[in-house]
Amino acid sequence: MAADILEGPPSYIELRSGMTKIVKVDPKRPVQSIAIGNPNLADVSAINLGAIAVTGKAVGLTNFLLFDTDGKEISDTVIQVVEADAYRPGDNVKGRH
């Protein structure tokens, strides 16, 4: 099963514990660093200049910040990690800009 892909850093992501979503970022403004509010709840890592991976680790609410090469904030995204058994076939990717 392919990972869900979201265009651009959204302001909100909901995902299930143990699942990963790919967030596309503008490769013309590459991500230099990532700050995660609570690394026990989610993991966020750069895949390449145009994408980051967001993985739910434990149920809860946190956020992540993306910064460019000048140290300026690109985005601030809230992550809501829900129970893995909350999945129902046909669920859509949830992300808001």
Side-chain angles (χ1 to χ4, degrees):
M1 181 167 131
D4 294 328
I5 299 176
L6 301 173
E7 293 291 331
S11 62
Y12 175 84
I13 296 173
E14 181 180 296
L15 71 160
R16 290 172 296 284
S17 178
M19 301 299 282
T20 298
K21 291 188 181 183
I22 304 301
V23 177
K24 290 187 177 183
V25 295
D26 183 355
K28 295 176 187 165
R29 191 173 180 199
V31 174
Q32 175 67 34
S33 60
I34 302 169
I36 181 87
N38 186 339
N40 294 319
L41 299 181
D43 182 52
V44 181
S45 57
I47 297 173
N48 56 42
L49 291 178
I52 60 169
V54 181
T55 304
K57 294 166 68 176
V59 174
L61 187 69
T62 189
N63 74 314
F64 69 89
L65 303 166
L66 301 179
F67 297 92
D68 66 15
T69 55
D70 295 325
K72 295 183 179 171
E73 186 180 301
I74 297 171
S75 67
D76 180 353
T77 301
V78 173
I79 307 168
Q80 176 71 55
V81 182
V82 298
E83 292 285 345
D85 63 359
Y87 173 74
R88 291 174 303 279
D91 277 356
N92 292 326
V93 174
K94 291 187 181 180
R96 290 195 304 253
H97 286 281

